[in-house]
Amino acid sequence: MDVTLAAGGAWTDPACPVARTVDLIGDRWSLLIIRDAMDGATTYTEFHQRLGIARNILADRLRKLVEHGILDKSAAAYGRRHTYRLTEAGQDLFTAVVALRQWGERHAFAPDEPHSVLVDDRGRELPELHPLDQDGAPLSAEASHVRKTA
């Protein structure tokens, strides 16, 4: 995986994992492409139809996600087309996408406003994600802090 930014780019905060992640995948379209890849989209056309994104922006985001090892691009069995699949690094974003979804369910909708629901293979809604400490107790932002490394 290439963990450098595009030519001439600089990390927003080189020592912060959150800042680096946002630098790599934090724009709206990249996250929605990742979401749709998790939901089964594999071709440029599928991403374009699902997202309604401008073609030039889609091509740019797909290229960047491939460059940074989030998606893998391979030749399709038919024609000149390509397929895109999440790499292991892309699959590792599942928990982050679920956390964003759950935050949105709690804070971006009115109580009676309909929205999609993420379910497991048996049709059950996913339980809410909560960080736990090393002993399994719930952990909050107030009970944690960043330790700088050398």
Side-chain angles (χ1 to χ4, degrees):
M1 176 165 127
D2 181 6
V3 291
T4 59
L5 290 177
W11 295 112
T12 302
D13 183 348
C16 177
V18 173
R20 279 196 176 205
T21 301
V22 171
D23 286 343
L24 293 173
I25 56 122
D27 70 275
R28 170 187 182 179
W29 293 120
S30 293
L31 283 170
L32 293 177
I33 290 167
I34 291 165
R35 176 207 63 189
D36 282 3
M38 289 178 180
D39 198 33
T42 61
T43 66
Y44 180 96
T45 301
E46 288 174 319
F47 289 115
H48 185 258
Q49 288 174 344
R50 289 176 182 219
L51 295 169
I53 182 175
R55 293 181 181 276
N56 63 322
I57 294 172
L58 177 57
D60 178 66
R61 295 313 187 278
L62 287 170
R63 179 186 55 75
K64 287 179 180 177
L65 291 169
V66 169
E67 281 178 6
H68 293 299
I70 308 300
L71 292 175
D72 182 48
K73 177 181 171 183
S74 60
Y78 50 90
R80 300 182 344 232
R81 298 186 177 179
H82 295 95
T83 58
Y84 298 89
R85 300 246 188 264
L86 290 164
T87 62
E88 185 177 337
Q91 290 286 345
D92 279 351
L93 288 165
F94 180 69
T95 303
V97 170
V98 171
L100 286 170
R101 166 181 276 284
Q102 291 179 349
W103 185 93
E105 289 170 347
R106 287 190 304 274
H107 302 288
F109 289 87
D112 58 346
E113 191 176 1
H115 58 79
S116 62
V117 177
L118 186 61
V119 297
D120 65 20
D121 286 340
R122 295 169 60 186
R124 301 174 301 182
E125 288 187 40
L126 273 62
E128 274 194 39
L129 297 178
H130 297 284
L132 305 175
D133 69 14
Q134 292 292 328
D135 299 320
L139 188 62
S140 67
E142 293 84 22
S144 64
H145 66 279
V146 173
R147 181 176 57 213
K148 302 288 182 178
T149 58

